[in-house]
Amino acid sequence: MKTISKIDELKVVLREKKYNKEQIGFVPTMGFLHEGHASLVRRAVKENDITVVSIFVNPTQFDSKEDLETYPSDLKKDIELLRALGVNYVFTPDKKEMYSKMFSTFVDIEGDITKKLCGASREGHFKGVATVVTKLFNIVLPDKAYFGQKDAQQVAVISRMVKDLNMDVEIIPCPIVREKDGLALSSRNVLLKESERIDALILSKSLFEAKELIESGEKDSKIIKKYIVDKINTLEYANIDYVDVVNASTLEDISLIEGEVLIALAVYIGKPRLIDNIRISVI
Amino acid sequence: MKTISKIDELKVVLREKKYNKEQIGFVPTMGFLHEGHASLVRRAVKENDITVVSIFVNPTQFDSKEDLETYPSDLKKDIELLRALGVNYVFTPDKKEMYSKMFSTFVDIEGDITKKLCGASREGHFKGVATVVTKLFNIVLPDKAYFGQKDAQQVAVISRMVKDLNMDVEIIPCPIVREKDGLALSSRNVLLKESERIDALILSKSLFEAKELIESGEKDSKIIKKYIVDKINTLEYANIDYVDVVNASTLEDISLIEGEVLIALAVYIGKPRLIDNIRISVI
């Protein structure tokens, strides 16, 4: 495994592989890797000749300076993990090389798909995500790119972008990885205090129960939403950003629960903002 | 020469060439080709193994419906010309395939580079240009792409975008081609009435004279600008959109004329809006 930080160096290495018709799998990350990332990387290694993982805490997708500054990192541990998983190249670009002083180009996806859910409270977040992912795709030229379904909106936004801009990459969404007690893995979980860590379980629990309600025949999205909101509001230190029941690909609100449905939520548990979601197929 | 209108069909053909390490040259156009386009195509044919020319009147870059609807076209003549020039593939995509109903992704370059000159009066124009050029680059994957210096701002914007988004393409700006009497070639010139065609000569004349003034030692951009504006305003049917003296790469206003300088103008001569410019190197 090789760690490369210069953009042009990685381009040269990967273009040779590309021309040699080797399939390139890519997992973009912001580091501080957990088992969720590892599940993406394992799949990439299995399905491709070459696997590239990027570690880059992208400043343009943070809407709060504090969130950016407190974002956890442990590069040494990340690199050990990626080596053990059989990754070929770790890309650790420099902020200054990714965003020069003259930098002024952004990729933006308009409409509900970026304005709802996390987009409503995180102004400019998906513009930052789409821009950095476009840059990374242009540098890596992956055949397949792997994204965790935990960031369900990110998967929907990136899939839309790839179609709209005719990019040569297949987006592979991968299932959420959870702790045994249900908590969705997140690099932000380390920011939770012990009591908050227990409180946070209500997020996954309420989603699982909502799924059961739907499977028992509930078709009214308002009732489902109210059920989750009420449950979370029993906690003193929980502050709901959103709880939404939407069409899984367009992210548009639905009133009747049918087809591919996404229930997504974002909740502050103390300081950290946690997200979780569940996808349900209703025939 | 082969004409292809389906995106995926062109991708398959060109990926094979790309993997075969054939150099791909690309000339994006909106059709109704003239000698200016021909000069780009000749250079592309000379410098590459494969030359692709696209003909697509891109709706997202028109700020006026009337301008879009009156934009001239002659596909049959264009195709004959391109065949004679030795082009390999003509790409004539369908509007509905380029922009599906769900289309919502745009590439935008922020700052003076898109807000000044043509960007000031043509809201959204460069966003439309950057978006379609990104799409075309992703479809064609050219090694080199050729753009006319007549659209000097377009060259600056696309060059900025390619750098910012780490695209694998070299942008080749090519000199303005003019009629013998100095009028810069443009597909819009056919929209000029006979008397307007004569009036329009004042644009290139004033630019050439401004260049002479600078070469004789004039360093004050205000004096140069006033000279051009006064000259154009002697015409009854001319309506100035802008006359600007700017840094040739950032397009920022300059007061002292030095380095790489661009004098650019856009003027309505009757209904048609014509643009022209001249680049001057002042040591």
Side-chain angles (χ1 to χ4, degrees):
Chain A
M1 190 181 78
K2 203 173 171 189
T3 300
I4 293 178
S5 64
K6 290 282 167 217
I7 294 173
D8 283 344
E9 190 186 341
L10 186 70
K11 274 195 176 190
V12 169
V13 169
L14 294 181
R15 293 306 172 271
E16 204 193 309
K17 306 287 178 191
K18 190 93 186 166
Y19 282 124
N20 210 13
K21 292 197 183 178
E22 292 182 68
Q23 285 266 319
I24 300 173
F26 178 47
V27 184
T29 83
M30 299 210 301
F32 208 71
L33 305 178
H34 51 62
E35 184 53 32
H37 300 102
S39 72
L40 306 182
V41 173
R42 269 188 217 104
R43 185 154 172 203
V45 170
K46 199 175 156 192
E47 294 183 352
N48 299 275
D49 301 313
I50 299 288
T51 295
V52 182
V53 176
S54 64
I55 297 178
F56 181 62
V57 181
N58 173 41
T60 66
Q61 75 191 67
F62 283 83
D63 45 317
S64 133
K65 208 181 161 193
E66 192 194 345
D67 189 24
L68 172 61
E69 282 166 358
T70 59
Y71 201 88
S73 83
D74 189 341
L75 187 60
K76 208 181 145 209
K77 199 177 150 204
D78 289 347
I79 286 177
E80 276 169 27
L81 172 66
L82 296 176
R83 181 175 287 121
L85 291 171
V87 166
N88 305 89
Y89 298 98
V90 181
F91 180 45
T92 55
D94 192 77
K95 267 174 206 154
K96 281 183 187 159
E97 203 193 351
M98 286 291 273
Y99 298 108
S100 75
K101 275 188 188 164
M102 303 283 283
F103 189 90
S104 42
T105 306
F106 294 90
V107 180
D108 205 3
I109 294 93
E110 301 180 352
D112 270 5
I113 201 166
T114 52
K115 289 209 178 60
K116 293 202 32 129
L117 308 180
C118 291
S121 62
R122 303 192 70 188
E123 173 81 29
H125 170 65
F126 287 109
K127 182 173 157 181
V129 170
T131 301
V132 80
V133 170
T134 297
K135 285 171 66 64
L136 291 168
F137 282 179
N138 284 338
I139 293 165
V140 175
L141 293 190
D143 295 280
K144 292 179 178 180
Y146 300 79
F147 290 86
Q149 185 61 30
K150 181 169 149 284
D151 297 293
Q153 190 171 12
Q154 178 171 273
V155 173
V157 167
I158 297 297
S159 299
R160 181 76 255 152
M161 176 186 84
V162 164
K163 276 198 199 97
D164 284 351
L165 297 184
N166 309 100
M167 294 172 172
D168 273 351
V169 53
E170 188 183 346
I171 301 303
I172 316 275
C174 300
I176 297 177
V177 178
R178 299 179 180 281
E179 305 276 9
K180 272 185 191 160
D181 60 10
L183 183 69
L185 295 197
S186 165
S187 304
R188 287 189 171 88
N189 289 351
V190 296
L191 304 172
L192 293 167
K193 292 178 194 154
E194 203 176 337
S195 63
E196 291 168 348
R197 169 70 183 72
I198 296 162
D199 284 352
L201 290 179
I202 209 159
L203 305 186
S204 54
K205 262 189 201 149
S206 63
L207 289 172
F208 296 150
E209 288 171 14
K211 189 182 179 206
E212 277 174 27
L213 280 174
I214 291 169
E215 284 169 352
S216 317
E218 184 55 63
K219 295 266 185 192
D220 187 340
S221 71
K222 271 189 203 139
I223 289 175
I224 295 297
K225 184 172 165 170
K226 188 173 183 310
Y227 179 85
I228 299 172
V229 168
D230 288 349
K231 185 155 179 126
I232 295 172
N233 279 337
T234 60
L235 287 182
E236 196 177 352
Y237 297 104
N239 187 0
I240 295 176
D241 179 0
Y242 65 81
V243 173
D244 275 319
V245 183
V246 298
N247 174 302
S249 39
T250 64
L251 306 189
E252 284 167 336
D253 276 323
I254 52 172
S255 49
L256 180 71
I257 293 180
E258 59 175 2
E260 291 296 315
V261 174
L262 181 78
I263 310 178
L265 51 80
V267 177
Y268 289 89
I269 303 286
K271 273 204 172 182
R273 179 179 176 279
L274 302 182
I275 59 173
D276 200 350
N277 69 79
I278 199 162
R279 226 181 128 123
I280 304 156
S281 197
V282 182
I283 310 155
Chain B
M1 191 180 79
K2 204 173 169 189
T3 300
I4 293 178
S5 64
K6 291 281 166 217
I7 292 172
D8 283 344
E9 190 186 341
L10 186 71
K11 274 196 174 189
V12 169
V13 168
L14 293 180
R15 293 306 170 272
E16 205 194 308
K17 307 286 178 192
K18 190 92 186 167
Y19 282 123
N20 210 14
K21 291 196 182 177
E22 292 182 68
Q23 285 265 321
I24 299 173
F26 178 46
V27 184
T29 82
M30 299 212 298
F32 209 70
L33 306 177
H34 51 64
E35 183 54 30
H37 300 101
S39 73
L40 307 180
V41 173
R42 269 187 218 104
R43 184 152 171 206
V45 169
K46 201 175 156 192
E47 294 182 353
N48 299 276
D49 301 312
I50 297 290
T51 295
V52 182
V53 175
S54 64
I55 297 178
F56 181 62
V57 181
N58 173 39
T60 65
Q61 75 190 67
F62 283 83
D63 44 317
S64 131
K65 208 180 160 190
E66 191 193 345
D67 190 23
L68 172 60
E69 282 166 359
T70 59
Y71 201 86
S73 83
D74 190 342
L75 186 60
K76 208 180 145 208
K77 199 176 151 205
D78 289 347
I79 286 177
E80 276 169 26
L81 172 67
L82 297 175
R83 181 174 287 121
L85 291 170
V87 167
N88 304 89
Y89 298 98
V90 181
F91 180 45
T92 55
D94 191 77
K95 268 174 205 153
K96 284 184 186 157
E97 203 192 351
M98 287 291 272
Y99 298 108
S100 75
K101 274 186 188 165
M102 303 283 286
F103 189 91
S104 42
T105 307
F106 294 90
V107 180
D108 205 4
I109 294 93
E110 300 180 355
D112 271 6
I113 201 166
T114 52
K115 289 209 178 59
K116 292 200 32 126
L117 308 181
C118 290
S121 63
R122 302 192 70 187
E123 172 82 28
H125 170 66
F126 287 110
K127 181 173 158 183
V129 170
T131 302
V132 79
V133 170
T134 297
K135 284 170 67 65
L136 291 169
F137 282 180
N138 284 340
I139 294 165
V140 174
L141 294 189
D143 295 279
K144 293 180 178 177
Y146 299 79
F147 290 86
Q149 186 60 31
K150 180 169 152 280
D151 297 293
Q153 190 171 11
Q154 178 172 275
V155 172
V157 168
I158 298 296
S159 299
R160 184 74 255 152
M161 175 185 85
V162 163
K163 276 198 199 94
D164 285 350
L165 297 184
N166 309 99
M167 294 173 173
D168 272 353
V169 54
E170 188 184 348
I171 301 302
I172 316 275
C174 302
I176 297 177
V177 177
R178 299 180 180 281
E179 305 276 9
K180 273 185 189 160
D181 59 11
L183 182 70
L185 295 197
S186 165
S187 304
R188 288 190 171 86
N189 288 353
V190 295
L191 304 172
L192 292 167
K193 292 176 195 154
E194 204 176 335
S195 63
E196 291 167 349
R197 169 70 184 73
I198 296 162
D199 285 351
L201 289 179
I202 208 158
L203 305 186
S204 54
K205 262 189 200 148
S206 63
L207 288 171
F208 296 149
E209 288 171 16
K211 188 182 180 206
E212 279 174 26
L213 280 174
I214 291 169
E215 284 168 353
S216 317
E218 184 54 63
K219 295 265 184 193
D220 186 341
S221 70
K222 270 190 203 139
I223 289 174
I224 294 298
K225 183 172 166 171
K226 188 173 182 310
Y227 179 86
I228 298 172
V229 167
D230 287 349
K231 186 156 177 123
I232 294 172
N233 278 337
T234 60
L235 286 183
E236 194 178 351
Y237 296 106
N239 185 2
I240 295 176
D241 178 3
Y242 66 82
V243 172
D244 275 319
V245 183
V246 297
N247 174 303
S249 38
T250 64
L251 308 189
E252 284 167 336
D253 276 323
I254 52 172
S255 48
L256 180 71
I257 293 179
E258 60 177 1
E260 291 296 315
V261 175
L262 181 77
I263 311 178
L265 52 78
V267 178
Y268 289 89
I269 303 287
K271 275 206 169 180
R273 179 179 177 280
L274 302 181
I275 60 175
D276 201 350
N277 69 78
I278 200 161
R279 227 180 127 123
I280 303 155
S281 198
V282 182
I283 311 155

